[in-house]
Amino acid sequence: MANVERLLKQNQPVMAIRCYREIHHCSLREAKEAIASILANK
């Protein structure tokens, strides 16, 4: 998750979604929702 947060700080949400999917083995929709949730909570 540290890599996902680093990518978001570098303003690379697409790469963050890809990284999230690799870590959690989830669908694109789930990854997008998770990243959106992370961004909303900051």
Side-chain angles (χ1 to χ4, degrees):
M1 283 303 292
N3 286 337
V4 172
E5 291 178 15
R6 178 181 52 80
L7 288 165
L8 289 173
K9 286 179 184 177
Q10 293 176 348
N11 199 27
Q12 297 184 22
V14 174
M15 291 303 294
I17 290 169
R18 286 183 185 175
C19 186
Y20 187 93
R21 289 187 72 197
E22 286 183 26
I23 293 168
H24 296 283
H25 304 286
C26 64
S27 70
L28 178 59
R29 171 182 255 171
E30 291 171 326
K32 282 184 175 181
E33 290 173 356
I35 296 300
S37 176
I38 291 169
L39 290 172
N41 290 329
K42 288 194 174 202

